[in-house]
Each structure stands twice: as structure tokens, then as C-alpha cells.
Amino acid sequence: MSPGARSHCFDMLKKALAMILCGLIMYPAWAQEILGPSYPITEPDMLEAIQDKLKSMEKNGRLGQLQKEAIERSKQSIERPDPVKGIVKTRQPRTFYFDPSWRVPRDITTPEGKVIARAGDMVNPLDYVPLSNHLFFFDQSDPKQVKKAAEIIKRFNGAVKPILVAGEPLALTRQWKRQVYFDQSGHLVRRFGIKQVPALVSQEVAQRRLRIDEMKVD
């Protein structure tokens, strides 16, 4: 390349660098004109806002009060659960049967791969695990039902699981000095088809079904 051409290239390069430098210097000005002025973010951090709120509540005592109320609600829900809906005191006694058999939805295998039940098979749990205790469902708010429950427990020499559909299971457990259960959300009564209480669930000898007696107490 001739000295003249080399000089011309240097001139062009200097002009290009000058334009780039000018653009970098002028960028904030023209960017502000096009996009508008920018401002710092002033919105408070969510976690900081929550922490500030908690500190304020702790300072004025509101946080401690809320904690006490939450603990009290929890104790009440344990001591006295919500009554099972749709269950009434027996008006018309009835006896019916419940077959616990169910159809296997898919093959059941052991960890070693041995098939113990195939999809579509009907399986009755009572063939493997009999009902060793009677189940007695009752409403603690009715003193006659409570008395009947005590009689049933005595009749079967204690081989009974008392189950409340309304009442205070822990208080009755302490009073009777034996475990009293509660049918939380009514899962069992719905499963067995129980509509009235008191009701006794038992397995008759050599039977593959459960007998359910909805009893009337006077």
C-alpha cells in the first residue's frame, strides 16, 4: 500500500472512531429525549413490607393476640370437631349389609414381581383380615346414645371401637379411660351407608360382609 493510501485509511479510521466516541458521549441526552426521563424504583420490597408489618403488630400486641386465637381455634377443632352432616337420630330402626369387596384396578405385585391380584379381580378384605372389633357410631349430645354405647361396650367385653359423629372425643376418652374415635368429615358413615345413629357395625361368623344395625334408643 502506498504512503498516500495508508494516510487516507488512517484518516477514515480516525473519523469513524470520532463518530463512535461522539455517539457514546451523546447517548444519555438523545435517549432521554426519546424514552423520557428515568426514575429509581421506589416500590418497597414485598418481604420487607411483610416484616415491617409483623414488627408493627408485634409491637402493639396484635401479633401475640392472633397467635393465641389460632392456638385456641386449633384446640377447639381437636377437642370438638365439626359434627358429621346428614346424620340423624334413628327414627326407623333398620338392618342392612355392606359388602366391602372391590375390583382390582391394576395388577398388584410383590417387590419380587409375583402377582398377588390381577386387574379385574374381585377382592374381599374380610377374607384376609376379619373385623376383630365392633364399630359403634353415636352422637354424644344425646345422653341416651352415650348410655347405649357404654352398654354395647360392656356387652362385647370391650371389643368395640366407639366412634362419635358429634361431640368431644378427647373428653369422653378421658372420662371412659379408653380410646374414643371421631368420624372426621363422615368418611366411615358414608362408606358404610349409615344415615342414622346409634349404629352398630359387626361381622357375623363366617360371613364375608358386614352387618349394620341402626338402633332406636328410648
Side-chain angles (χ1 to χ4, degrees):
M1 179 180 294
S2 66
R6 186 180 299 111
S7 176
H8 179 70
C9 287
F10 280 127
D11 289 339
M12 294 292 291
L13 180 59
K14 285 190 292 182
K15 289 181 180 180
L17 290 173
M19 291 177 66
I20 293 173
L21 181 60
C22 180
L24 291 175
I25 294 173
M26 295 299 295
Y27 172 79
W30 63 257
Q32 190 173 24
E33 291 177 2
I34 296 175
L35 302 178
S38 59
Y39 302 95
I41 298 175
T42 58
E43 183 178 348
D45 180 84
M46 183 179 294
L47 291 179
E48 290 181 358
I50 293 174
Q51 289 175 351
D52 290 342
K53 181 65 175 178
L54 290 175
K55 289 178 181 178
S56 175
M57 293 174 65
E58 183 177 19
K59 187 176 180 179
N60 62 29
R62 180 57 179 160
L63 182 61
Q65 180 62 32
L66 290 175
Q67 290 174 334
K68 290 180 181 179
E69 292 174 359
I71 293 172
E72 185 60 29
R73 285 195 300 271
S74 298
K75 288 173 61 178
Q76 288 295 327
S77 66
I78 294 173
E79 289 283 350
R80 192 178 184 86
D82 293 335
V84 177
K85 296 180 180 179
I87 302 299
V88 299
K89 181 179 178 180
T90 301
R91 300 189 183 97
Q92 183 64 44
R94 67 167 180 154
T95 296
F96 59 99
Y97 293 87
F98 172 76
D99 183 354
S101 298
W102 62 289
R103 190 177 299 278
V104 179
R106 64 182 66 86
D107 288 354
I108 299 176
T109 61
T110 64
E112 293 75 26
K114 180 181 178 180
V115 177
I116 57 177
R118 297 190 178 280
D121 288 350
M122 291 298 295
V123 176
N124 190 326
L126 296 176
D127 292 336
Y128 306 93
V129 182
L131 186 66
S132 57
N133 286 278
H134 301 272
L135 309 179
F136 191 75
F137 296 84
F138 64 109
D139 183 344
Q140 189 185 3
S141 65
D142 181 0
K144 294 180 180 179
Q145 293 190 40
V146 176
K147 181 180 178 181
K148 188 67 174 179
E151 292 174 356
I152 291 292
I153 292 172
K154 184 177 180 180
R155 181 194 306 176
F156 293 106
N157 298 317
V160 177
K161 289 186 181 296
I163 306 173
L164 290 175
V165 296
E168 303 178 24
L170 296 184
L172 198 54
T173 293
R174 291 189 287 265
Q175 180 183 338
W176 283 358
K177 294 182 174 54
R178 63 171 297 139
Q179 183 66 55
V180 176
Y181 302 88
F182 193 95
D183 188 10
Q184 196 73 35
S185 301
H187 293 300
L188 290 176
V189 292
R190 285 200 301 271
R191 174 67 173 161
F192 292 134
I194 295 172
K195 303 293 184 182
Q196 306 175 111
V197 290
L200 179 67
V201 179
S202 55
Q203 181 182 3
E204 296 178 334
V205 178
Q207 292 292 319
R208 302 176 69 249
R209 60 182 184 175
L210 299 177
R211 172 173 170 160
I212 301 173
D213 294 289
E214 293 179 346
M215 308 172 176
K216 188 172 183 178
V217 290
D218 299 318

